[in-house]
Amino acid sequence: QVQLQESGPGLVKPSGTLSLTCDVSGVSISSPNWWNWVRQTPGRGLEWLGDIYHRGDINYNPSLEGRVTMSLDKSKNQFSLTLTSVTVADTAVYYCARGPGSVTSILDSWGPGSLVTVTS
Amino acid sequence: EIVLTQSPATLSLSPGERATLSCRASQDVATYLAWYQQKPGQAPRLLISDASDRATGIPARFAGSGSGTDFTLTISSLEPEDFAVYYCQQRSVWPVITFGQGTRLEI
């Protein structure tokens, strides 16, 4: 059974950098899956941030490109999200999720979510 | 960007009734459409993939249909645990994923 768990600071200052990690268990992140980040706010709903393939191929949401970076740490079986130059608009619950297989259009396993608040 | 519009925003029904939720895409997404259920304080849960395929462990009362731009999620007989928010999601144009704004199903 695939399980994901987000971790990271709950508070980030404006203009700072948001960093989150997703610990994966039940499957190796080196297996052919896409590893995703999605965030949710009351105003904008669910927003896909991007995904990273086990080989390191990456896709970012064009609306965030330039501020977002994703990476894999295969030794720890985890993947990470970095978002720079944050503003209050980046306050959200951040989810990591799996897109199964090599070509996928779904997210079949999700972490419970991590609330990140941008505040001075 | 493909926009998904869900209707109604809120649906008020009683246990045992039939629920019909709609999702309309701004352009053809073929059958690259999924449905998720989200309960308060929880992550979304995958219900339906490829417009009509139930995910593992999803009860048969949940059914998805449609193709192109018009899709429907039907819950044949509502159980108390079905009252939640439902989202549709598409990825027909690689790589961008977009979600609808959600339908709240309330008692």
Side-chain angles (χ1 to χ4, degrees):
Chain A
Q1 180 184 357
V2 180
Q3 291 189 313
L4 300 92
Q5 177 69 56
E6 306 87 354
S7 63
L11 296 175
V12 181
K13 293 187 184 302
S15 76
T17 297
L18 180 160
S19 296
L20 292 171
T21 296
C22 183
D23 286 302
V24 180
S25 59
V27 66
S28 169
I29 63 166
S30 297
S31 59
N33 294 286
W34 287 87
W35 303 102
N36 292 253
W37 290 97
V38 176
R39 68 183 179 183
Q40 185 172 31
T41 63
R44 296 195 307 275
L46 290 163
E47 180 181 22
W48 176 77
L49 304 182
D51 58 6
I52 182 167
Y53 195 44
H54 73 103
R55 297 178 313 197
D57 312 59
I58 298 176
N59 300 300
Y60 296 135
N61 189 320
S63 68
L64 292 169
E65 201 141 6
R67 293 204 297 136
V68 62
T69 305
M70 296 180 186
S71 62
L72 298 171
D73 187 335
K74 295 183 178 181
S75 66
K76 296 180 179 179
N77 213 46
Q78 61 184 208
F79 61 104
S80 299
L81 168 74
T82 300
L83 187 64
T84 60
S85 304
V86 298
T87 69
V88 293
D90 294 308
T91 294
V93 176
Y94 286 76
Y95 296 100
C96 56
R98 181 183 77 160
S102 58
V103 180
T104 181
S105 63
I106 62 171
L107 302 172
D108 71 345
S109 299
W110 296 63
S114 179
L115 174 62
V116 179
T117 303
V118 179
T119 179
S120 54
Chain B
E1 177 180 298
I2 296 176
V3 176
L4 298 177
T5 302
Q6 294 186 240
S7 61
T10 303
L11 184 58
S12 299
L13 293 170
S14 300
E17 290 192 296
R18 180 185 187 90
T20 303
L21 289 68
S22 175
C23 177
R24 176 164 289 178
S26 59
Q27 55 187 278
D28 191 337
V29 299
T31 57
Y32 295 110
L33 190 104
W35 290 92
Y36 298 81
Q37 176 193 68
Q38 187 177 33
K39 296 180 179 179
Q42 297 184 17
R45 176 176 73 141
L46 177 67
L47 297 176
I48 301 286
S49 63
D50 294 330
S52 61
D53 294 338
R54 275 190 306 278
T56 303
I58 302 302
R61 64 181 181 273
F62 291 90
S65 62
S67 65
T69 61
D70 289 299
F71 300 87
T72 301
L73 175 68
T74 302
I75 310 171
S76 58
S77 180
L78 286 165
E79 298 288 341
E81 62 268 26
D82 298 337
F83 291 92
V85 181
Y86 292 83
Y87 294 95
C88 55
Q89 171 254 309
Q90 70 80 32
R91 195 180 205 180
S92 72
V93 179
W94 188 269
V96 179
I97 289 174
T98 57
F99 295 87
Q101 83 279 16
T103 289
R104 180 177 304 275
L105 179 55
E106 64 177 26
I107 298 178

